[in-house]
Amino acid sequence: MARPDGPSTAPTRRHYLMCRPTYFTVEYAINPWMDPDVVVDRPRAIRQWEELRDLYLSLGHRVSEIAPIEGLPDMVFAANGALVVDGRVYGARFASAERTPEGPAYLDWFRQEGYTETSEAKYVNEGEGDFITLDEVVLAATGFRTEAAAHQEAERLLGRPVVTLQLVDPRFYHLDTALFALSGDRIAYYPGAFSKGSRRVLEALFPDALIATEEDARVLGLNAVSDGHDVVVAAEATRLADRLRALGFTVHPVELDELRKAGGGAKCCTLELRDHPLA
């Protein structure tokens, strides 16, 4: 069990799904981070992605890979592909036409891998981009991509209570750019990304949360991945990293600035498969 003032005594092994950025580029703009005129170094993006994958493996986690599809440059951001809780898969329905084919592609992968409880979404949602799963509840965002009705749909399908939050800053267009789970019941977040009402909800539910600064958030420092002990965080988020270390977490800085040209970081590249305990 996590201590109230620090991380769990040991990391929890995780199962992640990732997609190699074989076709990564920035050829359209669907968020404020994207500029088609910016040159993308694809080999460098692939190297950075491989270093992230290899880090997960070195920490004892399992990594599965979905084959990239030509013409879907954002498919590397696997977190948007679905939400998986207790082996149930809630498929993504993307807000933008450019990414719409990714939803069926990810759902096909789950079916081919033997997941029997898969659901096509009726409402627009972008998977773990806008859903953060904790021990007791699922935090879900709306405001830019995911429809509020999708929160209710996910709650019915997954059998977990869902708490709705409102995003208000277009730089933080997905929940996972502004908030991440440190442990099963503890979070870190940037208050400026949320409406006043949502800030009050977060303050009431998580009085011991780590409150991040805009400096942390604007380098996608909160697009981080934690196993309860080890935290993978953007190398540029040095202040956030120092505060995590002070709380007893082991911090692993990663360079993903090439992928950040499309508005993505470590968490965007990482879809957690909460299917079954790993042997």
Side-chain angles (χ1 to χ4, degrees):
M1 181 178 294
R3 301 194 309 272
D5 61 343
S8 59
T9 55
T12 303
R13 294 184 65 208
R14 308 295 174 100
H15 183 189
Y16 298 135
L17 177 62
M18 301 181 71
C19 182
R20 180 181 293 272
T22 304
Y23 304 110
F24 176 68
T25 186
V26 178
E27 58 187 26
Y28 48 77
I30 57 174
N31 67 55
W33 302 82
M34 303 178 82
D35 181 354
D37 293 329
V38 171
V39 176
V40 170
D41 185 339
R42 186 180 294 160
R44 186 165 182 267
I46 292 172
R47 289 195 301 272
Q48 291 181 339
W49 179 90
E50 288 176 340
E51 289 171 1
L52 176 64
R53 179 205 57 195
D54 293 348
L55 174 58
Y56 289 146
L57 294 173
S58 74
L59 294 174
H61 303 308
R62 177 182 171 191
V63 177
S64 296
E65 294 186 32
I66 181 174
I69 297 174
E70 189 171 5
L72 298 179
D74 284 341
M75 196 170 171
V76 60
F77 301 126
N80 304 151
L83 172 64
V84 185
V85 177
D86 298 327
R88 300 186 182 99
V89 181
Y90 178 43
R93 181 180 291 271
F94 285 85
S96 64
E98 292 87 349
R99 299 195 67 183
T100 294
E102 294 180 41
Y106 274 93
L107 210 52
D108 285 347
W109 183 90
F110 282 105
R111 289 167 175 158
Q112 292 167 9
E113 289 296 311
Y115 287 79
T116 58
E117 296 184 72
T118 61
S119 299
E120 295 182 13
K122 179 179 179 181
Y123 300 102
V124 171
N125 83 88
E126 300 199 348
E128 276 197 328
D130 275 327
F131 290 95
I132 305 293
T133 303
L134 306 177
D135 281 349
E136 302 297 330
V137 301
V138 177
L139 302 180
T142 189
F144 297 103
R145 299 293 182 84
T146 296
E147 294 180 293
H151 301 175
Q152 300 166 13
E153 184 175 43
E155 186 174 76
R156 290 193 300 270
L157 292 170
L158 303 175
R160 294 278 190 100
V162 175
V163 176
T164 294
L165 302 169
Q166 183 83 26
L167 296 171
V168 296
D169 187 328
R171 294 175 299 172
F172 311 111
Y173 57 95
H174 277 151
L175 182 60
D176 69 0
T177 64
L179 182 153
F180 73 98
L182 279 168
S183 60
D185 56 3
R186 190 172 185 185
I187 66 170
Y189 70 98
Y190 169 54
F194 298 91
S195 68
K196 290 182 179 179
S198 293
R199 291 200 297 269
R200 287 195 289 270
V201 170
L202 290 169
E203 289 164 3
L205 291 177
F206 306 101
D208 297 323
L210 190 162
I211 305 301
T213 64
E214 183 176 4
E215 181 182 15
D216 299 324
R218 69 188 181 199
V219 293
L220 292 182
L222 290 157
N223 196 247
V225 178
S226 171
D227 62 16
H229 181 276
D230 295 281
V231 183
V232 179
V233 65
E236 297 86 350
T238 54
R239 182 176 299 181
L240 177 61
D242 288 343
R243 295 179 66 196
L244 288 166
R245 292 187 186 101
L247 290 172
F249 292 93
T250 299
V251 177
H252 302 272
V254 292
E255 293 185 358
L256 290 170
D257 55 288
E258 205 64 40
L259 292 168
R260 192 164 60 237
K261 292 175 180 178
K267 177 56 193 168
C268 285
C269 294
T270 311
L271 173 58
E272 184 169 347
L273 307 184
R274 300 173 186 84
D275 39 22
H276 54 76
L278 296 177

